[in-house]
Amino acid sequence: MTRGRFISVEGIEGVGKSSNIEYIRDILVDAGIEVIVTREPGGTELAEHIRELVLDPQTKLVPLAELLLVFAARSTHVTQRIRPAIERGVWVVCDRFTDATLAYQGGGRGVSPELIYRLAAAVHGDLWPDLTLLLDAPVAVGMERAAQRSALDRFELEQAAFFERVREVYLELAAAHPVRIRRIDAAQPLPGVQAEIDNALTPLLKQTKNSC
Ligand code: TMP
């Protein structure tokens, strides 16, 4: 059986991840692909508990504790859901993965990338997304959209400088991994965003057709 593909979607707050993930799911389903949509931190019972804790503005966390919690969540998610799905031939669309840790805990909180890569190797070995869509927009655009949400979480309460550092790491990652990570201009009107997503998905969809 052909293994499923692993797609992650990344970006700072307010760049339209949720609606674009729905769009990606629809494209895959229309192509006859079995797909699960999941998220990080989250995706398993334990990881969803960890998510609540990590996003709660009342939770006081030092950066290292925050890092270990996101990896604890990821460990269950990879083992219980992501790997088994991929092995069954199912495609996984994940709202964030380890690039978010490099951007938020690395860029935002100042944790060393070496430590993050070591934990990543322990938690998911060589499993990295086949394709990462980085929805990118200036921080002011994202923050304005995110501010319209009813209750802000622990990260959404951060200042612009935090998100500038997060965005900078995302852009560095995209430059360092130009094949895996596709930057999508999320500040343009939706049809343009969707056209860029279509382009980014085409090679993966073609590979799948050819292998059938
Ligand atoms: P979101 O998925 O609704 O955007 O919220 C998840 C938040 O968690 C977001 O602010 C980014 C943050 N996060 C990290 O800080 N590190 C991580 O590894 C992941 C997956 C998310």
Side-chain angles (χ1 to χ4, degrees), residues 13 17 40-41 51 55 70 74 96 100-101 104-105 155:
E13 336 296 305
K17 275 189 299 110
E40 291 217 335
R51 178 186 179 90
L55 296 191
V70 295
R74 182 162 302 134
R96 303 189 184 281
T101 315
Y104 283 79
Q105 280 64 53
F155 290 100

Side-chain angles (χ1 to χ4, degrees), residues 43-211:
T44 65
E45 204 180 326
L46 176 72
E48 289 292 333
H49 285 311
I50 294 175
R51 178 186 179 90
E52 266 176 44
L53 196 64
V54 169
L55 296 191
D56 183 349
Q58 304 300 325
T59 308
K60 302 275 176 284
L61 285 177
V62 293
L64 185 59
E66 187 178 273
L67 174 75
L68 294 172
L69 284 172
V70 295
F71 269 115
R74 182 162 302 134
S75 168
T76 69
H77 193 207
V78 167
T79 313
Q80 294 170 17
R81 286 200 73 199
I82 299 178
R83 274 197 203 278
I86 291 172
E87 279 160 18
R88 283 201 319 274
V90 174
W91 287 40
V92 175
V93 177
C94 193
D95 185 340
R96 303 189 184 281
F97 195 62
T98 297
D99 295 305
T101 315
L102 290 159
Y104 283 79
Q105 280 64 53
R109 305 283 193 226
V111 172
S112 95
E114 289 73 23
L115 175 58
I116 298 175
Y117 280 116
R118 270 166 48 205
L119 288 169
V123 167
H124 52 90
D126 58 4
L127 178 81
W128 283 85
D130 297 293
L131 175 68
T132 296
L133 299 172
L134 170 59
L135 297 173
D136 180 57
V139 169
V141 173
M143 284 186 81
E144 197 187 308
R145 289 191 203 150
Q148 286 156 17
R149 293 177 189 161
S150 49
L152 298 184
D153 67 34
R154 244 179 92 250
F155 290 100
E156 289 164 345
L157 288 166
E158 289 291 342
Q159 303 297 309
F162 176 88
F163 294 108
E164 292 291 358
R165 295 196 299 276
V166 171
R167 183 181 183 215
E168 200 180 307
V169 172
Y170 271 137
L171 293 175
E172 283 169 12
L173 287 168
H177 305 279
V179 177
R180 174 175 70 86
I181 306 182
R182 292 286 299 265
R183 177 188 169 273
I184 310 278
D185 173 9
Q188 65 185 318
L190 193 58
V193 176
Q194 293 180 340
E196 287 193 35
I197 291 175
D198 292 343
N199 280 338
L201 288 175
T202 301
L204 266 195
L205 289 169
K206 273 202 184 135
Q207 277 172 19
T208 313
K209 262 198 189 147
N210 293 340
S211 66

